[in-house]
């Protein structure tokens, strides 16, 4: 990330967070806590194993979409 693209990525991440919040607010029921913990652990493992790949920036949107 360079200083010229950092602001754009920050705005992009903010609006993705707003999108996730609105989807969660519209959902009629609550998620099972086990699914929440599994997604949390899965996200951590995805970040840990992505270090072995090298540049994992292209995979970040895919991992985000899977956990949304």
């Amino acid at each position: 990330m360079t200083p010229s693209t950092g602001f754009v990525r920050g705005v992009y991440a903010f609006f993705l967070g707003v999108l996730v919040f609105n989807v969660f607010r519209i959902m009629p029921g609550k998620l099972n806590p086990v699914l929440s913990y599994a997604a949390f652990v899965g996200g951590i493992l995805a970040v840990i194993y992505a270090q072995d790949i090298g540049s994992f920036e292209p995979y970040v949107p895919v991992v985000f979409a899977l956990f949304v």
Side-chain angles (χ1 to χ4, degrees):
M1 179 170 31
T2 63
S4 61
T5 61
F7 178 74
V8 174
R9 288 187 61 167
V11 171
Y12 168 74
F14 172 77
F15 282 111
L16 283 178
V18 170
L19 176 68
V20 170
F21 172 76
N22 286 327
V23 168
F24 180 75
R25 188 176 54 156
I26 293 171
M27 288 178 56
K30 297 290 182 185
L31 289 177
N32 187 352
V34 173
L35 288 174
S36 298
Y37 290 125
F40 179 68
V41 170
I44 291 172
L45 291 176
V47 170
I48 291 171
Y49 288 119
Q51 292 177 355
D52 295 337
I53 296 172
S55 175
F56 61 91
E57 287 188 22
Y59 302 109
V60 171
V62 175
V63 171
F64 178 79
L66 289 174
F67 289 112
V68 168

